[in-house]
C-alpha cells in the first residue's frame, strides 16, 4: 500500500465515505481498554446507488488500515438514516494507533477535539 497523507474512512473497498461522523471515545479508568463510537448521519454508504453489503469500516491513513466489523444501520420511519460503527481497543498500543489515525483524520477533514468535563 502506498503512503497517503490523507486519512479516510471506507465502508466499501476503494470508496471513500465523504460524510464526516461524530466520534465519541470512552476509556476504562486505567486507560487500557475502551471504544470509539462513530455516528454517520445519512452517509453515502447507505445511498441507493451504492451496491454491496457493508461488512465493516476501514480507517485508512499513511500507517495502513484499522478495521472494525462492528457496524450497524439505524432506521427512522423505515428508512436507513444512521450508520453506527464501534472500534474497540484492548490495550494501550491499539489505543495509541487509533489516536494517530484520529489525529490524521481530524487534520484531513478540518476537525477539532473537545473533551467532556
Amino acid at each position: 500500500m502506498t503512503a497517503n497523507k490523507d486519512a479516510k474512512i471506507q465502508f466499501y473497498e476503494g470508496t471513500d465515505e465523504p460524510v464526516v461522523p461524530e466520534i465519541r471515545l470512552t476509556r476504562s479508568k486505567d486507560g487500557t481498554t475502551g471504544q470509539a463510537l462513530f455516528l454517520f448521519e445519512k452517509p453515502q454508504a447507505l445511498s441507493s446507488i451504492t451496491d454491496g453489503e457493508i461488512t465493516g469500516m476501514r480507517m485508512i491513513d499513511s500507517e495502513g488500515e484499522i478495521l472494525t466489523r462492528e457496524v450497524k444501520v439505524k432506521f427512522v420511519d423505515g428508512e436507513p438514516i444512521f450508520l453506527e460503527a464501534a472500534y474497540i481497543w484492548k490495550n494501550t498500543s491499539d489505543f495509541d494507533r487509533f489516536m494517530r489515525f484520529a489525529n490524521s483524520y481530524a487534520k484531513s477533514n478540518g476537525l477539532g477535539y473537545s473533551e467532556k468535563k
Side-chain angles (χ1 to χ4, degrees):
M1 173 182 234
T2 358
N4 184 346
K5 292 182 182 174
D6 293 329
K8 55 194 168 199
I9 292 176
Q10 296 180 350
F11 293 101
Y12 301 99
E13 192 169 343
T15 303
D16 298 348
E17 176 56 58
V19 173
V20 176
E22 178 181 329
I23 304 171
R24 298 178 188 160
L25 300 179
T26 56
R27 290 178 75 182
S28 62
K29 287 188 181 201
D30 68 1
T32 57
T33 63
Q35 79 169 6
L37 184 65
F38 295 76
L39 183 62
F40 296 82
E41 186 173 356
K42 297 181 182 174
Q44 182 178 342
L46 295 179
S47 71
S48 58
I49 57 170
T50 306
D51 293 328
E53 182 180 338
I54 296 173
T55 59
M57 181 179 79
R58 292 174 179 80
M59 297 167 270
I60 303 167
D61 64 9
S62 62
E63 289 185 52
E65 179 179 298
I66 302 170
L67 175 66
T68 181
R69 300 268 185 217
E70 300 293 323
V71 179
K72 298 176 186 173
V73 176
K74 303 284 183 174
F75 292 82
V76 175
D77 295 326
E79 294 293 320
I81 302 295
F82 296 100
L83 202 146
E84 185 179 279
Y87 172 69
I88 299 166
W89 61 86
K90 297 185 190 236
N91 56 55
T92 53
S93 64
D94 286 348
F95 172 73
D96 292 343
R97 171 64 182 103
F98 171 77
M99 288 306 295
R100 289 192 304 275
F101 166 79
N103 286 326
S104 296
Y105 187 77
K107 286 177 187 172
S108 295
N109 291 283
L111 303 175
Y113 169 76
S114 65
E115 189 170 329
K116 185 178 179 182
K117 302 283 178 184

